[in-house]
Amino acid sequence: MCSSDLQMPCHLVAVEVGIKAFANGDYESALVFFKSSKKSGLNSTGLHHNLGATYFRLKLYGKARQEFERLLAEPGIAPLAHYNLGRIALAMGEKDRAIRHFKITLHTAGNTKLRRLARDRLRRLTHAGRARAWSGYLSFAAGYDDNVALVPDNDELVDRVQDEFLYDHKQQLDSLKSNGY
């Protein structure tokens, strides 16, 4: 994969190929390339995020959690790490933990889209126990009609929030390249 005439180090080639594999939905291959890059000595915020995202997609939630927990010490990406830890907690059935991470994201994120995603998750989690899942209507006419039609609530029909990890992999790769890595 790497040769001496390449200007980019092997571990960055592996990251780039891993990002392409991830974008194509080939998470197993992406994991191989990201792990190879890590083994070659890369230890960056972007790599840990990519590993966490890949583990999440492969439903390896414990490993995904470890990668995102490493990012909590990085102020620039900590809100995104909390958001992803919330998604992991949800996938593992840990509602209280998910709520805690989404609240932290909501209060610390500078990114408007990330705050909106956290707010929407919190709204769905805190309203999940309420009896709002169905709405009904009655029809009054000259005569007798005992039929009440149930209509699903709009929140059940439309999921407005995209489940995405939000990390701009191309920006991370360009940044690494410009810094001589």
Side-chain angles (χ1 to χ4, degrees):
M1 177 171 63
C2 295
S3 66
S4 60
D5 62 332
L6 287 178
Q7 302 238 351
M8 191 166 42
C10 290
H11 61 272
L12 288 185
V13 172
V15 169
E16 191 167 17
V17 175
I19 289 169
K20 288 178 184 174
F22 186 95
N24 290 327
D26 186 358
Y27 306 121
E28 292 85 4
S29 293
L31 183 60
V32 168
F33 287 109
F34 293 144
K35 282 180 157 184
S36 169
S37 185
K38 185 176 181 180
K39 191 174 182 177
S40 295
L42 185 63
N43 184 22
S44 69
T45 300
L47 177 62
H48 290 294
H49 183 277
N50 294 343
L51 282 165
T54 305
Y55 284 132
F56 181 86
R57 296 291 180 172
L58 292 170
K59 298 183 177 166
L60 299 170
Y61 301 124
K63 289 183 178 190
R65 178 178 279 163
Q66 288 174 347
E67 295 296 335
F68 287 117
E69 284 175 345
R70 288 179 172 192
L71 301 176
L72 293 177
E74 301 288 333
I77 198 169
L80 178 58
H82 277 291
Y83 179 78
N84 289 321
L85 287 165
R87 292 187 65 211
I88 291 164
L90 271 181
M92 296 178 76
E94 300 168 340
K95 181 180 173 183
D96 291 340
R97 180 179 274 189
I99 289 172
R100 187 176 77 241
H101 284 296
F102 293 138
K103 282 182 178 179
I104 292 170
T105 302
L106 181 62
H107 297 300
T108 61
N111 180 295
T112 305
K113 184 176 183 181
L114 186 57
R115 280 196 316 271
R116 181 179 50 80
L117 288 169
R119 186 175 23 258
D120 288 348
R121 290 282 186 169
L122 284 167
R123 190 174 295 129
R124 284 190 281 169
L125 285 170
T126 57
H127 294 289
R130 296 185 185 167
R132 272 191 58 212
W134 293 94
S135 299
Y137 66 88
L138 292 170
S139 174
F140 293 100
Y144 175 74
D145 185 1
D146 66 351
N147 185 20
V148 177
L150 296 177
V151 180
D153 194 342
N154 285 342
D155 290 338
E156 297 293 327
L157 291 175
V158 180
D159 183 7
R160 294 173 288 125
V161 179
Q162 294 278 330
D163 281 335
E164 57 187 55
F165 277 93
L166 300 176
Y167 197 78
D168 185 346
H169 299 289
K170 180 167 179 9
Q171 179 182 6
Q172 173 245 336
L173 187 62
D174 290 344
S175 172
L176 288 171
K177 288 179 187 175
S178 69
N179 289 324
Y181 289 104

